[in-house]
Amino acid sequence: MTVKKILFVIMILTAFSACAQKVTTLAAAYVIPTAADAKKMEQDIFSYINEYRISIGLSSLQLSKEATTEAVNHSSDMAYKKTPFGHEGFNARMDNIIKTVGFIHASAENVAAGYLSAKQVVDGWLNSPGHKKNIEGDYKLTGIGVVTDGEGRLYFTQIFLRP
């Protein structure tokens, strides 16, 4: 074997080992969010939504324990495939809230999946006309639920209420 061929083989092996290290590094960089991470994301989403509403002259939303419970349950149902991704069961969620809160004049819901941060999900909703309409709606209360499935994929639900 000539020196050029040996150098070529070494160069190829070095290139492959560098790629493997990058792949390993990328895989190691993603950490499956914990329940504590999900709770922090709920708080961050609440803050980002209210910051946005205030920036356009709307009042901030208040957290509703009942809406939060329903939002968490819906995110969990989507994450663990008890219900398809989307708004299935929305009327039942509103019925559960009404049993505790009383009459609701208006309600809406945003859902999302796969985002990696609270900022990403809020930006995604603000770039979607239907979701943005809900965020900018005449609502007073909200509930937010973030749940991680067994593979680390995040599911988000935000419920909006006007009692």
Side-chain angles (χ1 to χ4, degrees):
M1 226 183 219
T2 68
V3 172
K4 285 184 182 180
K5 287 182 183 177
I6 292 171
L7 289 174
F8 178 75
V9 170
I10 291 171
M11 183 180 74
I12 295 295
L13 291 173
T14 304
F16 284 136
S17 67
C19 290
Q21 288 174 344
K22 288 180 184 176
V23 170
T24 303
T25 302
L26 287 174
Y30 182 73
V31 177
I32 294 177
T34 64
D37 295 330
K39 286 293 172 207
K40 172 75 169 98
M41 290 180 88
E42 291 170 6
Q43 295 166 355
D44 290 346
I45 290 168
F46 179 68
S47 294
Y48 290 134
I49 293 291
N50 276 335
E51 286 172 15
Y52 174 76
R53 285 177 58 91
I54 290 166
S55 78
I56 61 168
L58 297 173
S59 62
S60 60
L61 299 168
Q62 301 301 309
L63 279 174
S64 159
K65 178 183 168 200
E66 295 79 11
T68 297
T69 297
E70 291 300 319
V72 169
N73 289 344
H74 184 55
S75 291
S76 179
D77 286 349
M78 290 188 296
Y80 293 98
K81 312 297 186 246
K82 292 180 182 175
T83 189
F85 176 79
H87 302 285
E88 188 174 294
F90 177 72
N91 290 337
R93 287 188 287 287
M94 292 308 102
D95 289 344
N96 290 338
I97 292 169
I98 289 168
K99 288 176 190 171
T100 315
V101 174
F103 186 75
I104 300 292
H105 288 88
S107 60
E109 176 179 82
N110 287 349
V111 297
Y115 291 97
L116 299 178
S117 74
K119 182 79 169 115
Q120 285 178 340
V121 74
V122 171
D123 287 347
W125 284 337
L126 289 173
N127 286 306
S128 164
H131 294 104
K132 184 176 181 179
K133 180 180 175 186
N134 291 341
I135 291 168
E136 295 177 349
D138 183 19
Y139 299 107
K140 304 297 178 207
L141 303 173
T142 193
I144 301 164
V146 179
V147 174
T148 307
D149 71 8
E151 298 174 1
R153 182 177 167 95
L154 292 161
Y155 289 80
F156 305 85
T157 303
Q158 182 171 18
I159 295 173
F160 301 88
L161 304 170
R162 181 167 38 96

